């Protein structure tokens, strides 16, 4: 970093190509060398349907992609050595028939951006209207100039709808023009020339999707006529069904003819136009997708017909108007402002826009790790959603948050079965899944992450307290709390000290925490503190329902076969859970034996050997003190009230130097805790690495899709980190840490139906109720209660932005805030070539 510049002044993007605009991402010239990244960052979607930012012409490309959330194929997992309870069925999101392609020919010459003579070029995704546009002027091989304008939108208001417009105008001369609008069934992103996607089959990177070797989509129906194109399919193994239907219209004063063709895997509408100079040609393409777990394709075609008819009745432009109105409401509830920091502002809004595109029309489904922007992580749902995405939705879009919680509730039957497979009572949610079944073949770093049960209940309880949606807890949420608590009560054991249970501690062995570089351990701190909260919440809400809704409580008892002493047992276990602590080093061990290992010297590890998981066998990594992502530090944030300020500082100083950041999620909690304990420059550094993880491709895999959880983490780092917001038991408090270079920070958040706008400056924090029915909102600022009244702006003076630690962290863990611990441990780097250290 340049010493005399603030961190966020050192831009991470080429601003000659991607100029700063606070409400748009603009590409001002075409570059074929980073297609994977631009296809991701210019994707459009609505949570159900997503379209990568492939060029209209279909070539060149890194990975063609149109994805539907939850639409997947299954395949048998073949283990080299079998064992009972291993995951048996893999699940991979399907690249569905692609309707984006619109090819242009002038004088029978194709427009191909990789070789075209472009006078001008601009591509823009507008965060305010949710539309991807492109404008260019192409000089054809014969010297004619052609203007091309296009729009692409996936509707945020109509779940199954996408609209594209394609306008061509001859600027010099007349010419025969052909516009070929196509729907192509591509498998794994292969194009119509059977060229394999550049995104597939790249080594052993577990972040990438599997490559299908057999046919996935079996044709069921295909047709094309002047009114409509229809293709229908059923997946070969999962037996899911899909129909896609496309309507076209053309608007021009030029003479033209139409041709319609359909085959099982390809359909097209071709317009042959005698184009005259200055006379535009506009083709509008309206697309709808409907999917099901088994409804016949013919019925899905009928659904497509209803979607398209509704748009015809209201007009295409009405959909663009609805899109803008939806986003106006979204930004009123969700926008975060950083005046005077336009590059940061642009990146913040891009990330928040990605959250809208990943969740708006999910309904009662999940948010995949890549949303609907790519096939990375095979379209699976992880615990990332509950910890990093749910907080944003809970405090800005509560209805979307409720849908995600209902998704987990509906997954409860398969979670119960998974617990039985692992000889446990209650329910055990899968680490990664689409259909509810565990899809991780590597149990050590996957299935053993039992903490996901507690992560889900953490998000559930936060949602209920922030929104006041107690009805959801009473009728459905409590089932999740009860069954997960039963799992914890069965998983662990009491270690007695010569007396009764009350004299001992409750231990949980054989689990993996969030850090996948340390697996199958005893008493993982993150797992234990989250399990404790899970058990406490289950006991609290069971007693609450018994007291406040006795009839619902009796139904719950009958429904869940709840025994009289179970609730008391959960409360007793919660208070007895062992929380590891090393009094000598004055830190919380990540797990019972973590501190007994050799330290990995990350500072001496060559850059080309990162991420470690792609260069070292897991057994090598497991022998060292080295983290893929913050584990203990994540616990310090999520269960912040359980740790003292001194403990947070000591733990952060110990673990930060041995955290690789190989996970895109790690920097989120590192930023939050760094700011809280006084490392303010580090807080900003980690925030920026989260903010630009995709835009600047900081992890080298943005081509696989947006890191949606990191996008949620941007909001967390802003509001929980710099804003210092905490929600402990429903009590909202603030202890801010505004970066020194920032003028101010403003965000919005919803609490029990009312919108609270918060503005942080160097010398104060101001609150205002800007929507909703509440006459007042109670908050706490640095320990002092504050009542915010409707119609008045309440400002609380701040004497400082938190204390600041002057020291710099070195290459090894710090012990007790004094010296690095090289005098206690050796530190080294494994040699992947066997030359020794």
């Amino acid at each position: 970093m340049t010493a005399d510049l603030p961190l966020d002044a050192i831009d991470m993007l080429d601003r000659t190509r991607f100029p700063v605009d606070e409400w748009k991402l603009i590409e001002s010239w075409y570059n074929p060398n980073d297609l994977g990244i631009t296809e991701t960052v210019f994707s459009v979607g609505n949570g159900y349907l997503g379209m990568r930012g492939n060029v209209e012409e279909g070539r060149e490309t890194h990975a063609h992609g149109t994805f539907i959330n939850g639409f997947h194929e299954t395949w048998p997992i073949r283990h080299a050595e079998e064992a009972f309870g291993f995951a048996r069925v893999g699940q991979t999101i399907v690249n569905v028939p692609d309707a984006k392609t619109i090819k242009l020919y002038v004088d029978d010459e194709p427009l191909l951006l990789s070789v075209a003579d472009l006078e001008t070029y601009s591509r823009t995704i507008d965060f305010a209207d949710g539309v991807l546009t492109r404008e260019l002027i192409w000089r054809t091989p014969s010297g004619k100039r052609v203007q091309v304008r296009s729009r692409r939108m996936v509707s945020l208001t109509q779940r199954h709808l996408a609209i594209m417009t394609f306008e061509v105008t001859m600027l010099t001369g007349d010419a025969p023009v052909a516009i070929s609008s196509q729907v192509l069934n591509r498998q794994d992103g292969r194009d119509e020339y059977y060229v394999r996607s550049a995104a597939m089959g790249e080594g052993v990177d577990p972040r990438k999707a599997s490559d299908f070797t057999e046919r996935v989509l079996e044709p069921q129906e295909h047709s094309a006529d002047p009114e409509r194109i229809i293709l229908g399919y059923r997946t070969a193994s999962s037996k899911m069904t899909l129909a896609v239907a496309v309507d076209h219209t053309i608007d021009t004063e030029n003479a033209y003819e139409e041709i319609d063709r359909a085959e099982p895997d390809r359909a097209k509408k071709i317009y042959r136009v005698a184009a005259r100079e200055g006379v535009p040609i506009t083709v509008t393409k309206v697309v709808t997708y409907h999917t099901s777990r088994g409804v016949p394709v013919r019925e899905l075609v009928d659904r497509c017909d209803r979607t398209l008819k509704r748009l015809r009745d209201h007009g295409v432009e009405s959909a663009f108007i609805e899109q803008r109105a939806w986003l106006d409401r979204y930004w009123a509830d969700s926008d975060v402002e950083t005046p005077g920091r336009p590059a940061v502002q642009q990146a913040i809004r891009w990330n928040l826009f990605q959250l809208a595109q990943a969740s708006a029309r999910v309904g009662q489904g999940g948010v995949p790790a890549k949303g609907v922007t790519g096939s990375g992580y095979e379209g699976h749902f992880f615990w990332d959603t509950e910890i990093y995405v749910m907080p944003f939705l809970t405090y800005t879009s509560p209805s979307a948050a409720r849908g995600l919680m209902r998704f987990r509730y509906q997954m409860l039957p398969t979670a119960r079965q998974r617990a039985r497979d692992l000889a446990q009572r209650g329910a055990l949610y899968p680490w990664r899944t689409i259909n509810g079944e565990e899809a991780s073949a590597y149990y050590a770093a996957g299935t053993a992450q039992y903490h996901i049960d507690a992560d889900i209940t953490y998000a559930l309880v936060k949602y209920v307290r922030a929104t006041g949606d107690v009805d959801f807890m009473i009728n459905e949420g409590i089932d999740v709390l009860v069954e997960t608590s039963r799992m914890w009560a069965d998983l662990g054991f009491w270690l007695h000290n010569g007396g009764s249970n009350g004299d001992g501690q409750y231990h949980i062995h054989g689990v993996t925490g969030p850090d996948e570089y340390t697996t199958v351990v005893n008493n993982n701190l993150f797992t234990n503190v989250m399990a404790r909260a899970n058990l406490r919440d289950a006991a609290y809400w069971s007693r609450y329902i018994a007291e406040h809704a006795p009839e619902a409580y009796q139904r719950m008892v009958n429904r869940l076969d709840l025994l009289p002493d179970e609730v008391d047992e959960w409360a007793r276990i919660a208070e007895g859970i062992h929380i590891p602590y090393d009094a000598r080093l004055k830190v919380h061990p990540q797990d019972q034996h973590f501190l007994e290992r050799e330290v990995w010297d990350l500072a001496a590890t060559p850059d080309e050997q990162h991420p470690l998981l792609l260069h070292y066998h897991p057994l090598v990594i497991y022998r060292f003190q080295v983290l893929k992502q913050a584990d203990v530090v994540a616990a310090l944030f999520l269960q912040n009230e359980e740790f003292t300020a001194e403990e947070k500082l000591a733990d952060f100083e110990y673990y930060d130097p041995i955290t690789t950041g190989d996970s895109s999620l790690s920097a989120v909690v590192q930023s939050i805790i760094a700011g809280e304990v006084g490392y303010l420059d580090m807080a900003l550094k980690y925030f920026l690495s989260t903010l630009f993880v995709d835009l600047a491709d900081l992890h080298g895999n943005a081509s696989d899709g947006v890191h949606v959880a990191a996008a949620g983490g941007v909001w967390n780092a802003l509001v929980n980190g710099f804003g210092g917001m905490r929600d402990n038991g429903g009590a909202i408090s603030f202890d801010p840490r505004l970066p020194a270079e920032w003028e101010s920070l403003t965000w919005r958040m919803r609490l029990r139906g009312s919108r609270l706008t918060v503005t942080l400056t160097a010398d104060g924090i101001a609150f205002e109720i800007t929507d909703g029915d509440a006459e007042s909102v109670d908050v706490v600022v640095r320990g002092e209660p504050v009542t915010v009244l409707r119609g008045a702006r309440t400002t609380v003076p701040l004497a400082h932005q938190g204390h600041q630690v002057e020291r710099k962290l070195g290459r090894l863990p710090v012990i007790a805030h004094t010296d690095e611990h090289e005098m206690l441990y050796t530190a080294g780097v494994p040699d992947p070539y066997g030359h020794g250290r």
Side-chain angles (χ1 to χ4, degrees), residues 354-377:
Q354 298 311 311
L355 293 172
Q357 295 202 129
S359 65
R361 296 273 74 88
V362 164
Q364 295 172 14
V367 173
K370 296 293 185 180
V372 281
T373 65
S375 61
Y377 294 109

Side-chain angles (χ1 to χ4, degrees), residues 679-731:
Y679 285 95
L680 305 186
D681 285 347
M682 292 180 69
L684 184 56
K685 180 193 77 170
Y686 282 128
F687 166 71
L688 293 174
S689 69
T690 300
L691 185 67
F692 286 97
V693 68
D694 287 316
L695 289 171
D697 193 25
L698 298 183
H699 282 251
N701 64 342
S703 58
D704 298 328
V706 170
H707 291 81
V708 175
V714 167
W715 188 88
N716 292 326
L718 287 163
V719 174
N720 301 122
F722 302 142
M725 193 273 278
R726 299 291 184 272
D727 182 352
N728 295 328

Side-chain angles (χ1 to χ4, degrees), residues 757-778:
T757 299
V758 186
T759 299
L760 173 64
T761 61
D763 56 5
I765 185 168
F767 305 93
E768 189 174 2
I769 299 173
T770 52
D771 185 56
D773 299 327
E775 293 300 319
S776 65
V777 172
D778 292 324

Side-chain angles (χ1 to χ4, degrees), residues 15 25 123 150 250 405 413 438 500 650 688 749 796 834:
R15 292 305 179 180
L25 179 66
R123 177 166 56 162
S150 64
I250 185 170
M405 285 293 92
E438 178 62 78
S500 64
L688 293 174
M749 54 190 294
V796 179

Side-chain angles (χ1 to χ4, degrees), residues 44-96:
V44 289
N46 64 10
Y48 169 76
L49 171 63
M51 294 179 165
R52 283 177 65 79
N54 306 109
V55 297
E56 281 79 355
E57 296 73 35
R59 300 189 76 182
E60 300 291 324
T61 189
H62 175 83
H64 290 288
T66 299
F67 301 98
I68 293 176
N69 189 349
F71 189 80
H72 69 280
E73 179 63 310
T74 56
W75 42 275
I77 298 175
R78 294 181 173 87
H79 299 275
E81 295 186 20
E82 295 288 347
F84 180 82
F86 277 13
R88 297 294 176 193
V89 180
Q91 306 145 42
T92 299
I93 195 169
V94 173
N95 203 334
V96 302

Side-chain angles (χ1 to χ4, degrees), residues 17-19 21 23-29 41-44 56 121-135 150-153 346 350 353:
R17 182 180 174 201
F18 300 104
D21 186 303
W23 281 102
K24 299 173 183 176
L25 179 66
I26 302 169
E27 180 187 37
S28 60
W29 49 271
V41 301
F42 285 102
S43 294
V44 289
E56 281 79 355
Y121 172 93
S122 177
R123 177 166 56 162
T124 301
I125 184 80
D126 191 316
F127 316 141
D129 63 22
V131 178
L132 175 67
T133 60
R134 191 188 67 175
E135 297 189 13
S150 64
R151 294 186 296 175
R152 182 185 301 166
M153 180 190 78
Q346 178 188 40
W350 181 88
F353 180 66

Side-chain angles (χ1 to χ4, degrees), residues 498-790:
S500 64
N501 285 352
D503 296 326
Q505 291 185 317
Y506 192 80
H507 292 245
I508 299 175
H509 286 187
V511 301
T512 298
D515 171 34
E516 295 159 31
Y517 285 175
T518 313
T519 67
V520 193
V521 298
N522 297 341
N523 293 313
N524 169 253
L525 179 112
F526 180 95
T527 301
N528 284 18
V529 297
M530 293 295 284
R532 177 169 63 184
N534 190 163
L535 290 157
R536 284 174 175 169
D537 287 331
Y540 171 85
W541 283 103
S542 295
R543 291 165 177 164
Y544 177 94
I545 295 171
E547 179 181 354
H548 294 90
E551 291 184 4
Y553 180 76
Q554 190 56 54
R555 290 194 297 271
M556 165 189 140
V557 168
N558 296 339
R559 182 173 68 248
L560 300 173
D561 294 324
L562 186 66
L563 300 177
D565 60 349
E566 281 191 273
V567 175
D568 293 337
E569 182 189 18
W570 300 334
R572 182 166 56 87
I573 292 173
E575 300 317 309
I577 281 185
H578 175 57
I579 305 299
Y581 185 73
D582 189 300
R584 182 173 65 116
L585 301 183
K586 293 184 172 57
V587 296
H588 291 92
Q590 183 168 297
D591 61 73
Q592 192 164 309
H593 299 291
F594 184 82
L595 300 180
E596 299 170 11
R597 303 185 181 104
E598 183 179 5
V599 172
W600 190 304
D601 191 344
L602 287 176
T605 304
D607 290 342
E608 60 269 20
Q609 291 177 17
H610 286 273
L612 302 186
L613 80 164
L614 299 185
H615 297 89
Y616 297 92
H617 191 285
L619 288 177
V620 175
I621 298 173
Y622 296 164
R623 295 188 184 108
F624 285 79
Q625 291 188 47
V626 63
L627 282 66
K628 181 184 179 187
Q629 70 182 74
D631 194 307
V632 170
V633 172
L636 301 181
F637 166 55
L638 297 177
Q639 298 297 323
N640 62 89
E641 70 274 24
E642 301 294 332
F643 301 91
T644 67
E646 292 75 19
E647 288 172 339
K648 292 176 184 177
L649 177 61
D651 287 344
F652 179 80
E653 291 186 324
Y654 189 92
Y655 287 104
D656 196 78
I658 54 174
T659 302
T660 63
D662 287 348
S663 166
S664 61
L665 301 179
S666 190
V668 176
V669 291
Q670 288 173 282
S671 175
I672 293 169
I673 296 301
E676 182 175 347
V677 302
Y679 285 95
L680 305 186
D681 285 347
M682 292 180 69
L684 184 56
K685 180 193 77 170
Y686 282 128
F687 166 71
L688 293 174
S689 69
T690 300
L691 185 67
F692 286 97
V693 68
D694 287 316
L695 289 171
D697 193 25
L698 298 183
H699 282 251
N701 64 342
S703 58
D704 298 328
V706 170
H707 291 81
V708 175
V714 167
W715 188 88
N716 292 326
L718 287 163
V719 174
N720 301 122
F722 302 142
M725 193 273 278
R726 299 291 184 272
D727 182 352
N728 295 328
I732 305 297
S733 63
F734 299 89
D735 185 6
R737 303 286 190 274
L738 184 70
E741 301 87 358
W742 289 16
E743 172 188 326
S744 65
L745 174 66
T746 298
W747 71 93
R748 290 94 178 144
M749 54 190 294
R750 285 202 168 270
L751 297 171
R752 296 181 175 262
S754 293
R755 185 197 304 137
L756 187 68
T757 299
V758 186
T759 299
L760 173 64
T761 61
D763 56 5
I765 185 168
F767 305 93
E768 189 174 2
I769 299 173
T770 52
D771 185 56
D773 299 327
E775 293 300 319
S776 65
V777 172
D778 292 324
V779 298
V780 175
V781 177
R782 292 187 176 161
E784 297 297 323
V786 177
T787 297
V788 183
L789 299 176
R790 170 178 288 282

Side-chain angles (χ1 to χ4, degrees), residues 108-126:
D108 294 327
E109 296 288 345
L111 171 59
L112 294 174
L113 295 191
S114 58
V115 296
D117 182 358
L118 299 178
E119 283 190 15
T120 64
Y121 172 93
S122 177
R123 177 166 56 162
T124 301
I125 184 80
D126 191 316

